[in-house]
Amino acid sequence: LKERADIAQEAQSKAAVEKTLLQKELNEQQLARATADKEQQELLQRAITAEARLKESADIAQEAQSLAAVEKTMLQKEVNEQQLARATADKEQQELLQRAITAEARLKESADIAQEAQSLAAVEKTMLQKEVNEQQLARATADKEQQALLQRAITAEARLKE
């Protein structure tokens, strides 16, 4: 009976040791599982954070792209306005140049007309001067003839009186 009690005691001790070892192994597995779960949770959190940063970067890139598109549109509009202003200025300059050419042509035409009128006036003055000279000569001749007739009348009257 004692022997059986010793065997039972030894079996009980072995079972207790085995239970302790199994409990220890179970605890280690639970610890390993908890550690693995924690690492998995940390990796998941890092993945979520990375995804959030990626989305934020994508949003920033999208905003930058939108701003760049707006700036490009504004710059294109400014270029178009400058091209329009230049075209308008070129057109106005061309019109002013054409007006200047027209005014110069009219000025030359007026100068030619004035020159022609001056030439005609000079010819007319010469003709009038000639006519005046002819009239003065005719008057002088008439005065001389009148003087001669008067002299002849005086002479005739004196002869008649004699």
Side-chain angles (χ1 to χ4, degrees):
L1 187 63
K2 178 162 180 2
E3 191 177 314
R4 273 185 155 183
D6 287 344
I7 291 172
Q9 180 66 35
E10 189 177 329
Q12 200 176 16
S13 292
K14 281 183 181 181
V17 167
E18 190 175 348
K19 180 184 172 192
T20 303
L21 287 170
L22 288 172
Q23 187 61 47
K24 183 179 175 187
E25 192 176 328
L26 179 64
N27 290 346
E28 287 173 357
Q29 285 178 356
Q30 286 175 341
L31 179 62
R33 184 173 180 175
T35 303
D37 286 349
K38 184 178 176 185
E39 287 175 357
Q40 186 180 6
Q41 195 61 36
E42 288 174 357
L43 286 173
L44 183 60
Q45 191 56 47
R46 285 172 57 192
I48 290 170
T49 303
E51 191 175 348
R53 285 185 185 149
L54 183 62
K55 184 173 182 335
E56 187 178 334
S57 295
D59 290 347
I60 290 170
Q62 181 65 39
E63 187 176 345
Q65 199 173 15
S66 296
L67 289 173
V70 168
E71 188 174 0
K72 179 185 173 188
T73 302
M74 289 173 66
L75 288 172
Q76 187 61 50
K77 183 180 176 186
E78 192 173 333
V79 166
N80 292 347
E81 288 171 355
Q82 286 177 352
Q83 287 175 339
L84 179 62
R86 185 173 180 177
T88 303
D90 287 348
K91 183 179 176 186
E92 288 173 356
Q93 185 178 8
Q94 195 61 36
E95 288 173 357
L96 287 173
L97 183 62
Q98 190 58 47
R99 285 172 56 191
I101 291 169
T102 303
E104 191 175 347
R106 286 184 185 150
L107 184 63
K108 186 175 181 333
E109 188 179 329
S110 297
D112 290 347
I113 290 169
Q115 181 65 39
E116 188 178 339
Q118 202 172 13
S119 296
L120 289 174
V123 167
E124 189 175 355
K125 179 183 173 188
T126 303
M127 290 175 64
L128 288 173
Q129 188 61 49
K130 183 179 176 188
E131 193 175 323
V132 166
N133 291 347
E134 288 172 356
Q135 285 178 356
Q136 286 176 340
L137 179 60
R139 186 172 181 178
T141 303
D143 285 350
K144 187 177 174 187
E145 288 174 359
Q146 186 180 6
Q147 195 61 36
L149 284 174
L150 186 58
Q151 191 59 46
R152 282 177 54 200
I154 291 170
T155 305
E157 193 176 330
R159 280 189 197 153
L160 185 60
K161 209 177 189 188
E162 253 174 47

